[in-house]
Amino acid sequence: MIRPWLGPRFDVETYCRTLLRVSLSREIRPEPTGRRADSLWEAQCGYLVPVYGALLQDLAEAGRLEVD
């Protein structure tokens, strides 16, 4: 759950980038952290946007998110 790390308004890109950043910050890894989340976003945004866009839409339709 990344809701505590999101502002009151966010889009799919912000949601995904935050999800990656928070998830990766909790891992113990030998390589430097640097731009890992940004690199993953850039490599996978074509997949992540439709998947998480649908997820966020489902949450909005269920009344768990408010759409502007």
Side-chain angles (χ1 to χ4, degrees), residues 1 9 15 17 21 23 25 27-29 31-32 36 38 40-42 45 51-52 54 57 68:
M1 183 66 150
R9 295 177 184 217
Y15 182 88
R17 285 180 179 269
R21 189 172 49 253
S23 177
S25 72
E27 293 182 4
I28 299 170
R29 300 176 69 94
E31 69 267 10
R36 220 174 20 204
D38 290 333
L40 277 174
W41 166 253
E42 290 164 9
C45 67
V51 170
Y52 283 98
Q57 182 64 37
D68 281 340

Side-chain angles (χ1 to χ4, degrees), residues 7-65:
R9 295 177 184 217
F10 56 89
D11 59 11
V12 175
E13 180 176 346
T14 302
Y15 182 88
C16 290
R17 285 180 179 269
T18 303
L19 177 67
L20 290 169
R21 189 172 49 253
V22 170
S23 177
L24 291 172
S25 72
R26 305 296 187 255
E27 293 182 4
I28 299 170
R29 300 176 69 94
E31 69 267 10
T33 55
R35 292 183 16 102
R36 220 174 20 204
D38 290 333
S39 295
L40 277 174
W41 166 253
E42 290 164 9
Q44 297 180 358
C45 67
Y47 171 78
L48 294 173
V49 168
V51 170
Y52 283 98
L55 170 72
L56 295 175
Q57 182 64 37
D58 288 348
L59 291 172
E61 290 172 4
R64 299 187 63 195
L65 285 178

